[in-house]
Amino acid sequence: MPYRSMIHVQVRLRIRGREEQYVACPVSAAGGRSLHVQVPRGEGGLPWVAEGTEVELLQRDGLHTATGRVRARSLRPVPSYAVELTESMLDKVLFMAKEGRAVLVTGGKGGTGKTFVSTALSLLLARQGARVALVDADLGTADVAVNLGLPKQPHLGHLLEGKKKLEDVLRRNVRPNLSVLPGATGTRFSDPSAWKLGTILTVVQSLRPQFDFVIVDSRAGIGSDVTSLFAGVDRVVFVTADEPAGLSDTLELLQSFAEIGRGPGALVVNRVHSYRSSVDRLLAFRSRAREETGIDVPLWGVLQEDPRVHVLAGAGRLLVEELPLSPTSVALRQLAARVQAL
Ligand SMILES: Nc1ncnc2c1ncn2[C@@H]1O[C@H](COP(=O)(O)OP(=O)(O)O)[C@@H](O)[C@H]1O
Ligand SMILES: [Mg+2]
């Protein structure tokens, strides 16, 4: 039976006598059945175990279920073990895998509209009845909360520092079906250390069981705060502008995505002035990206620049809510339909 390779599940494992909750991704690679288990870092994290170490999967009631062995270990992009499983164990894991899908919205450059897209996408999915968590993982220059007219604190930074719990920082139902985790603001968060990155991934994974979609807004660039999230999501949406420098940066980012990412990507081109004059160039860009990176990123949206976005933003309002029939809103709804179908 083919298994979806990017389902992330919370599992209880006992490794070297120590029992903990882990985030894992069942994969079926080269005919084998394994589980990629993310290793928590920092204080209280599990020490690095040797290959061959026995791993036990525990059911929710704590009863021992089945065993596997650590077959391989890797440090990048996220420290993880590959655990070779018995078939019954994998089926149990998949049984627990009724979880939401995570989508990362990122891009090579700032100002291309990543936050605009992730906010609109989250709102539209929520309006269709999906339970959505929008996580602002833009460390230092977060603005999802401002765009939605929400208080900026408490935020993800307080969670990363251990001063607040997830429940304290997650703003539930700010619109029907939409919960928001405001991003960290302030310079002390702008240089994320590895443990913080691991924690953001853990936050994303722990939201999956409660939501149908976890939409993650990130900052621009090829920094580890962005690339470390590649491995923990089902789909990466790259938002770019149709101009040479922006497309060149996007290609750069796609290159690291091709090396690290496990799920597929998609491209959204925003702030376009004329659809007609852009579309041929964008299709050519897609072919070039395929040749240079070896991966295919389908074009999931071409969004026009709309001057009313700024006017509305000044009044704390959003285009998709106020002008649902504008060409940009229509294209955003098509994007939401693609994500809905994931
Ligand atoms: N399609 C669009 N039309 C007009 N303005 C837009 C559009 N998309 C984004 N903007 C504006 O561009 C600016 C940057 O967008 P933002 O989403 O904050 O970018 P990023 O998150 O990529 O840095 C914001 O002022 C936003 O309102
Ligand atoms: Mg942004």
Side-chain angles (χ1 to χ4, degrees):
M1 178 168 88
Y3 289 106
R4 270 188 67 194
S5 64
M6 286 306 295
I7 306 169
H8 286 79
V9 287
Q10 297 268 0
V11 289
R12 286 176 65 195
L13 296 178
R14 190 183 289 146
I15 307 177
R16 288 209 311 220
R18 224 175 112 169
E19 188 190 312
E20 267 179 75
Q21 186 92 13
Y22 290 88
V23 173
C25 167
V27 288
S28 148
R33 297 171 194 287
S34 20
L35 194 62
H36 274 279
V37 180
Q38 287 173 16
V39 183
R41 300 245 311 235
E43 262 183 88
L46 190 85
W48 204 228
V49 301
E51 279 173 37
T53 304
E54 192 166 275
V55 174
E56 293 171 75
L57 174 75
L58 301 155
Q59 273 179 326
R60 288 187 201 279
D61 59 8
L63 293 174
H64 164 236
T65 310
T67 59
R69 271 185 197 283
V70 173
R71 185 174 42 80
R73 314 172 307 163
S74 69
L75 265 173
R76 285 168 61 92
V78 190
S80 61
Y81 307 128
V83 175
E84 197 93 57
L85 302 162
T86 63
E87 187 150 350
S88 66
M89 188 174 177
L90 186 56
D91 289 342
K92 292 225 167 57
V93 170
L94 286 171
F95 180 71
M96 293 187 238
K98 291 181 195 141
E99 301 205 328
R101 286 143 284 174
V103 177
L104 172 67
V105 179
T106 190
K109 267 212 184 324
T112 54
K114 296 176 294 299
T115 304
F116 173 76
V117 168
S118 57
T119 306
L121 176 63
S122 302
L123 267 170
L124 291 168
L125 290 167
R127 284 199 167 180
Q128 288 164 11
R131 295 163 304 159
V132 182
L134 172 57
V135 176
D136 188 345
D138 184 335
L139 296 166
T141 49
D143 44 25
V144 165
V146 176
N147 287 359
L148 284 165
L150 304 171
K152 287 160 78 173
Q153 306 211 21
H155 57 56
L156 178 67
H158 301 120
L159 184 72
L160 299 180
E161 286 179 328
K163 289 184 178 158
K164 295 270 180 202
K165 295 202 174 91
L166 182 56
E167 271 317 302
D168 304 327
V169 291
L170 185 67
R171 224 60 60 70
R172 292 212 180 247
N173 296 315
V174 300
R175 301 277 202 284
N177 291 327
L178 176 64
S179 300
V180 171
L181 205 169
T185 46
T187 46
R188 73 180 189 283
F189 298 110
S190 61
D191 181 21
S193 58
W195 70 266
K196 281 184 187 163
L197 300 178
T199 311
I200 296 176
L201 265 181
T202 310
V203 167
V204 171
Q205 307 310 352
S206 58
L207 289 170
R208 282 172 183 263
Q210 305 173 41
F211 293 92
D212 298 311
F213 292 98
V214 181
I215 308 293
V216 185
D217 182 36
S218 81
R219 74 173 153 189
I222 52 172
S224 57
D225 54 331
V226 174
T227 55
S228 69
L229 293 168
F230 283 164
V233 296
D234 302 294
R235 183 66 78 151
V236 180
V237 172
F238 296 92
V239 180
T240 181
D242 175 23
E243 39 97 13
L247 291 173
S248 156
D249 287 346
T250 302
L251 200 58
E252 201 70 41
L253 189 59
L254 286 173
Q255 197 71 55
S256 39
F257 177 65
E259 287 160 18
I260 300 171
R262 282 190 244 146
L267 195 64
V268 169
V269 186
N270 187 28
R271 315 199 69 170
V272 164
H273 290 281
S274 151
Y275 180 84
R276 270 200 206 152
S277 67
S278 281
V279 76
D280 286 344
R281 194 168 36 251
L282 298 175
L283 291 173
F285 173 76
R286 181 184 169 188
S287 307
R288 189 173 155 215
R290 191 167 39 215
E291 276 162 30
E292 291 190 19
T293 67
I295 53 167
D296 192 22
V297 275
L299 191 56
W300 271 14
V302 179
L303 313 178
Q304 287 185 26
E305 171 85 14
D306 189 329
R308 294 170 296 185
V309 170
H310 282 286
V311 180
L312 288 168
R317 289 147 65 196
L318 299 171
L319 188 81
V320 274
E321 288 183 309
E322 303 295 329
L323 296 167
L325 298 178
S326 71
T328 307
S329 297
V330 171
L332 283 165
R333 272 206 299 285
Q334 286 165 354
L335 173 67
R338 302 254 196 197
V339 173
Q340 181 73 270
L342 282 178

